[in-house]
Amino acid sequence: VQLQASGGGLVQPGGSLRLSCSASEFVSVSYTMAWWRQAPGKEREWVSTIGTYEGSSYTADSVGGRFTISRDNAKNTVYLQMGSLKPEDTAVYYCAATRSYIRTMVLNDPSEYEYWGQGTLVTVSS
């Protein structure tokens, strides 16, 4: 199982960015997918999770209303659309996958996720 995150970069405060996570065939379709982030000197933080075919999703309060997770199963890709970015959003963003069912798992427990991709750095600065 391989996950490849991309789309990070430098963006000004208030700007937008879209991250992508490309997954191995079949993984994206049948797995619950998520985004996490880790800021310098801080613990890894859960951002958002999206279910499989049903499309249910949950997002952390810290980014709610600004970040939206989505998936395109035909492309085996999960996205994180980020808007109204703040300097405190600066972090390495990781995508993760699990076979757990979104409605019964503990969303913000990293041990729930079986597979992790490499991170992509997002820097919010003027």
Side-chain angles (χ1 to χ4, degrees):
V1 175
Q2 293 184 336
L3 303 173
Q4 181 77 31
S6 62
L10 174 64
V11 61
Q12 293 186 342
S16 299
L17 207 59
R18 189 178 77 162
L19 305 182
S20 300
C21 175
S22 298
S24 303
E25 189 175 359
F26 304 127
V27 169
S28 178
V29 172
S30 58
Y31 281 57
T32 296
M33 304 293 291
W35 287 97
W36 288 69
R37 68 184 182 183
Q38 188 166 19
K42 295 187 177 181
E43 294 186 351
R44 192 169 294 193
E45 176 190 18
W46 172 71
V47 175
S48 189
T49 300
I50 187 166
T52 53
Y53 297 100
E54 64 183 288
S56 298
S57 64
Y58 300 90
T59 302
D61 290 341
S62 59
V63 302
R66 300 188 298 120
F67 291 10
T68 302
I69 191 171
S70 62
R71 67 192 299 160
D72 184 338
N73 290 335
K75 295 182 179 180
N76 297 319
T77 302
V78 176
Y79 303 98
L80 184 68
Q81 181 66 49
M82 305 185 295
S84 301
L85 283 163
K86 306 174 181 179
E88 51 263 43
D89 294 319
T90 294
V92 177
Y93 284 72
Y94 300 89
C95 57
T98 177
R99 287 168 288 188
S100 298
Y101 182 47
I102 191 171
R103 296 189 185 276
T104 58
M105 62 182 290
V106 179
L107 300 172
N108 61 350
D109 181 353
S111 68
E112 288 270 20
Y113 298 87
E114 301 165 72
Y115 305 102
W116 294 82
Q118 95 298 345
T120 185
L121 176 63
V122 173
T123 303
V124 184
S125 175
S126 55

